[in-house]
Amino acid sequence: MTAPPKRSLGLKVMAPPPPAADAARDPVCGMSVDPARAAATHEHAGTTYYFCSTGCAARFRGDPERYLHPDAVPEMGAMHAPPAAKPASPSRAAIWTCPMDPEVRQDHPGACPKCGMALEPLEIAHDAGPSPELVDMRRRFVVAAALSAPLVVLSMGAMFAHALGGRVVSFVELALATPVVLGAGWPLLTRFAASLRNRSPNMFTLIGLGVIAAFAFSVVATLAPGLFPASPHGGVDVYFEAAAVVVALVLLGQWLELGARAKTGAAVRALLDLAPKTARRVRPGADDEEIPLEAARVGDLLRVRPGERVPVDGVIVEGRATLDESMLTGEPLPVERGPNERVAGATVNGASSFVLRADRVGADTLLARIVRQVQEAQRTRAPIQRLADRVAAVFVPAVVAAAAVAFVAWAAFGPEPRFANALLSAVAVLVIACPCALGLATPMSILVATGRAAREGVLFRDAEAIERIERIDTLVVDKTGTLTEGRPRVVGVEPVAGTSEDDLLAVAASLALASEHPLSAAIVAEARARGAAFAAATDFRSIPGRGVAGRVGARDAALGSAAFLGERGVDASALATDERRARGETLVFVAVSGTLAGAIAVADRVRDTTAEALRALRADGVRVVMLTGDARATAEAIGHALGIESDDVLAERTPEDKAAEVKRLRAVGRVVGMAGDGVNDAPALATADVGFAMGTGTDVAIESAAVTLVRGDLGAVARARALGRATMRNIRQNLFFAFVYNAVGIPLAAGVSFPWLGVRLGPMFAAAAMAASSISVIGNALRLARR
């Protein structure tokens, strides 16, 4: 019996023609595109642009200027965008913001009009020197401390007053205190004035009231002592040392706080420092050219030699790489990468040389995106901060009232000198109640935690995600790219009678070329390996989670699940064998001109770390649910191997089904985390309480999630939960310190214990206690960095 003739699928088996002379250039990836065969087009500012894939077209439509004028893209620290052909546009001015009130933005450094704290740059530069504010506060503290020390000696040494005369000592103290209060302490006074002008009472309102009251009284008492009654030992008591020491201790607290905040940016600076300063561009027929990193363009061929850092994100086109990705993912073991596989900038090459094609440079690289996400997360507020905000709204007026009550009580009932004791008690209450510890409690922990998480390959979108993550009791996971490696490979090609395997692969690859799905990448890779001739399909349409369709040559074609083909009147049941699915293989069906052409079997290896990660999550009380668009038999095979209960394996679900299932779980009281990596996972990621996007996944998934796992490893979910719990515990501890400190300190400063114990907390000790409270909160938050 002779074999039936092979049926043609409308493709000529020949290599695709070279680009025409008038070929267009894809503005996103830099590839040459034949306008007649472009996967997509878009008109912008009267010009039509052509794209090699719908993914490039979507990115261009989202932000055309990023790709047309990349020199105008704001720099992300050291990560520069590639220069455009025309002269560079001026870079965006630096923006300064407040870590406690991130909604405050201005184009110059200074103090926050709400809380009075020093503003800091929105974006951290890798080559930035010491903070000018930090240097200034340190210098001011040194001056204040040097002048306050002799003031304290004079105020406590009766022999000096007796030998020199009381008024002489007062004038000496005035000479020493004035540079401290009006010189070194000038920023504190300007912030006090701003709090009154902006009607935003804060810590500097209390400090300013206390310092000005003590200093102004002492100045008047020195210059016009006759206005006040004499003290029992003669003369009028002055309190220059109280005002000066309070200023010095507040400056010390500011210096220490600014230093701690500078440390929280160390993780970001460490990431920025990973980027190499130069790249080696390959020139046809000439030696390689070493260029500054900012001169690298999308589409450039760049050579990476042994031991060098990869300059930008790209795809290997020649050679193989053994990459150390630990600086980005935390994974200590090197990974192998070969032709057509992606590599990330800033990773370290091993012992071999390779050439990559740059496809993401400047602010688009993985490193720049990590830096951007960490910085954005550090500028957000956790819901628990609302508690501190509610307290702060009434705290300052309440403290001023308490100081007034203390003054009246001491003036009316206290021992002589009553006025002096009343003044000191009021000043002590104002100073010790400074709410800086309360304001620092949450932001400091968030700043430290996000930087620490970045070193573990976990990127939080905002502080709210850190707070929610500890409450997760159900984790919904996608299969492909989440439980599995996301790098599937073709393990079988089954054409129908009359169709060759190469023709079937050519049609499938033509459709898959414009798709971002991991299965599509496997089909394209297999077609290239076999030398099958294919080109991008026209009239391309993608239905996430179902399949793709378009025109291949002169015929309509479709690629996807059996249900997807069934919607188009094509019965794929003849090839839908359970044997392959039982082995965990996925069948992708191909139809041409309304007729079944065959099926392609694709298998994706389960990640080595997945089983252990799921065991750890289950041991932590987390229910794991697999939610996939794959066939039930395939999903159950993977689920069984990973120990997932059969009732928790939900297969053949569309993106809408996934989002609906997440919504159903939340409706019954579950706190749901969703982990996925594809476009089809985006609705569910956005619906979940916390969405976890694999860093190896699509941009849409990453943008829809609250947490990005750079390594693409579910084990990072367990680590993220542990860090979230530690962060919230740290915040609660800080708030406890702040509340207890004020609950105990204010009554002591007011002199409540004086009638029984004879103990009263003076302004100097109140200032020391206030500084100690801030230091305790800062030190406790910094412990997170050592976890």
Side-chain angles (χ1 to χ4, degrees):
M1 241 182 117
T2 60
K6 299 292 184 183
R7 179 160 54 92
S8 170
L9 297 178
L11 289 178
K12 294 182 179 180
V13 183
M14 56 185 296
D22 57 350
R25 183 181 178 87
D26 186 322
V28 175
C29 68
M31 293 182 61
S32 295
V33 181
D34 183 350
R37 295 175 175 269
T41 62
H42 179 70
E43 185 171 336
H44 173 73
T47 302
T48 300
Y49 297 92
Y50 301 89
F51 304 91
C52 67
S53 68
T54 55
C56 285
R59 285 193 286 272
F60 181 83
R61 281 193 294 269
D63 189 0
E65 295 304 314
R66 174 182 291 277
Y67 302 102
L68 296 180
H69 307 299
D71 57 313
V73 177
E75 293 179 358
M76 180 59 60
M79 307 303 295
H80 302 288
K86 64 181 187 178
S89 304
S91 61
R92 185 182 64 182
I95 301 297
W96 296 75
T97 186
C98 176
M100 296 186 198
D101 298 283
E103 67 276 10
V104 174
R105 304 287 176 94
Q106 64 185 43
D107 59 2
H108 58 278
C112 174
K114 288 190 174 182
C115 70
M117 302 302 293
L119 299 180
E120 55 188 32
L122 185 65
E123 296 177 356
I124 299 173
H126 80 292
D127 54 354
S131 164
E133 185 83 11
L134 175 62
V135 174
D136 183 58
M137 284 296 173
R138 180 174 57 198
R139 178 177 55 81
R140 290 178 181 276
F141 166 70
V142 170
V143 172
L147 295 177
S148 297
L151 263 174
V152 174
V153 173
L154 284 174
S155 66
M156 301 179 75
M159 68 180 76
F160 291 102
H162 179 73
L164 299 177
R167 292 204 66 190
V168 174
V169 172
S170 296
F171 276 104
V172 172
E173 291 183 355
L174 173 61
L176 290 172
T178 300
V180 176
V181 175
L182 301 182
W186 187 251
L188 309 182
L189 299 180
T190 57
R191 294 175 187 182
F192 161 70
S195 72
L196 299 180
R197 186 171 59 252
N198 298 326
R199 297 179 182 178
S200 179
N202 53 50
M203 60 176 283
F204 294 102
T205 310
L206 302 181
I207 292 171
L209 286 173
V211 169
I212 290 174
F215 183 74
F217 170 80
S218 300
V219 170
V220 175
T222 299
L223 300 179
L227 297 177
F228 303 96
S231 64
H233 53 75
V236 180
D237 289 330
V238 292
Y239 305 101
F240 288 115
E241 84 287 350
V245 171
V246 167
V247 168
L249 289 173
V250 172
L251 289 172
L252 173 63
Q254 291 287 287
W255 173 28
L256 294 175
E257 181 204 328
L258 287 166
R261 280 160 55 181
K263 289 181 181 178
T264 63
V268 174
R269 291 190 182 90
L271 289 172
L272 288 169
D273 288 338
L274 295 176
K277 303 299 184 292
T278 61
R280 189 172 297 277
R281 185 159 54 195
V282 177
R283 296 185 298 176
D287 294 337
D288 295 347
E289 173 190 15
E290 187 167 354
I291 59 173
L293 184 62
E294 58 267 27
R297 300 171 181 267
V298 170
D300 279 351
L301 296 180
L302 305 175
R303 190 182 307 279
V304 183
R305 298 182 299 185
E308 292 182 339
R309 292 190 183 274
V310 179
V312 297
D313 295 359
V315 176
I316 295 178
V317 296
E318 178 185 317
R320 299 189 65 84
T322 302
L323 297 175
D324 177 0
E325 298 181 343
S326 59
M327 67 289 297
L328 292 180
T329 67
E331 175 58 54
L333 298 178
V335 295
E336 298 286 339
R337 295 283 187 267
N340 300 318
E341 291 190 299
R342 297 188 58 82
V343 295
T347 54
V348 180
N349 186 28
S352 59
S353 177
F354 67 91
V355 176
L356 66 87
R357 183 183 67 248
D359 62 2
R360 284 183 176 176
V361 300
D364 287 335
T365 63
L366 174 61
L367 178 63
R369 289 158 64 197
I370 289 174
V371 170
R372 183 162 56 245
Q373 194 158 341
V374 170
Q375 291 178 322
E376 289 172 355
Q378 290 181 337
R379 304 290 179 248
T380 58
R381 298 167 73 86
I384 197 173
Q385 177 70 20
R386 298 184 192 123
L387 172 63
D389 291 343
R390 287 195 296 269
V391 172
V394 298
F395 186 77
V396 174
V399 169
V400 173
V405 170
F407 181 87
V408 172
W410 278 89
F413 308 107
E416 293 293 344
R418 290 182 177 179
F419 182 84
N421 287 329
L423 178 65
L424 289 178
S425 294
V427 170
V429 169
L430 292 171
V431 172
I432 201 170
C434 171
C436 52
L438 185 64
L440 288 170
T442 298
M444 282 301 302
S445 296
I446 296 299
L447 283 167
V448 176
T450 49
R452 181 71 184 89
R455 297 203 299 273
E456 290 292 324
V458 178
L459 306 179
F460 292 102
R461 179 176 299 281
D462 52 38
E464 188 173 358
I466 299 177
E467 184 168 341
R468 289 198 308 260
I469 198 172
E470 69 166 350
R471 303 197 303 268
I472 289 175
D473 57 25
T474 303
L475 181 66
V476 177
V477 294
D478 177 43
K479 180 180 73 69
T480 304
T482 304
L483 297 175
T484 61
E485 291 180 342
R487 294 198 297 268
R489 58 188 180 86
V490 173
V491 295
V493 181
E494 297 186 9
V496 299
T499 302
S500 70
E501 291 188 3
D502 284 351
D503 281 352
L504 180 65
L505 275 172
V507 172
S510 296
L511 289 170
L513 190 62
S515 171
E516 291 186 340
H517 197 282
L519 298 183
S520 298
I523 292 171
V524 171
E526 182 69 13
R528 283 175 173 157
R530 295 194 183 196
F534 63 93
T538 57
D539 194 22
F540 179 83
R541 301 177 301 282
S542 175
I543 295 84
R546 312 282 287 180
V548 296
R551 292 187 64 81
V552 178
R555 300 189 180 193
D556 291 330
L559 172 73
S561 65
F564 180 68
L565 266 62
E567 295 170 359
R568 285 156 176 72
V570 179
D571 182 10
S573 60
L575 295 177
T577 61
D578 290 335
E579 181 181 350
R580 285 190 179 275
R581 287 171 173 165
R583 296 198 298 265
E585 297 174 5
T586 298
L587 288 176
V588 183
F589 300 94
V590 183
V592 177
S593 299
T595 303
L596 182 66
I600 299 173
V602 182
D604 191 7
R605 183 172 174 269
V606 175
R607 294 178 187 270
D608 293 336
T609 57
T610 296
E612 179 60 33
L614 295 185
R615 278 195 295 271
L617 288 166
R618 283 192 289 264
D620 201 22
V622 178
R623 174 189 174 191
V624 179
V625 177
M626 182 198 295
L627 194 58
T628 178
D630 212 340
R632 171 160 294 279
T634 303
E636 287 181 344
I638 297 293
H640 177 74
L642 294 173
I644 300 175
E645 298 289 337
S646 58
D647 291 344
D648 289 334
V649 176
L650 308 178
E652 300 176 355
R653 302 302 173 98
T654 65
E656 293 77 15
D657 294 335
K658 291 183 177 183
E661 180 62 24
V662 171
K663 190 177 296 184
R664 184 192 69 79
L665 289 169
R666 293 184 66 191
V668 298
R670 312 292 291 192
V671 181
V672 182
M674 167 69 194
D677 74 324
V679 174
N680 58 326
D681 299 318
L685 289 168
T687 305
D689 291 285
V690 180
F692 297 89
M694 302 294 110
T696 52
T698 63
D699 291 343
V700 175
I702 292 172
E703 291 300 321
S704 303
V707 182
T708 300
L709 309 178
V710 177
R711 194 188 309 173
D713 171 17
L714 278 179
V717 175
R719 292 193 295 277
R721 276 172 52 79
L723 182 61
R725 276 197 299 266
T727 302
M728 295 311 300
R729 183 167 59 247
N730 192 272
I731 289 173
R732 295 183 187 108
Q733 291 167 350
N734 286 346
L735 290 174
F736 175 80
F737 290 154
F739 284 127
V740 169
Y741 157 78
N742 282 294
V744 174
I746 292 176
L748 285 177
V752 171
S753 63
F754 185 81
W756 298 278
L757 302 176
V759 176
R760 184 187 66 184
L761 204 63
M764 289 188 292
F765 292 102
M770 178 268 296
S773 71
S774 297
I775 293 170
S776 67
V777 166
I778 292 169
N780 190 50
L782 290 176
R783 288 192 308 113
L784 287 171
R786 298 190 295 271
R787 279 187 59 83

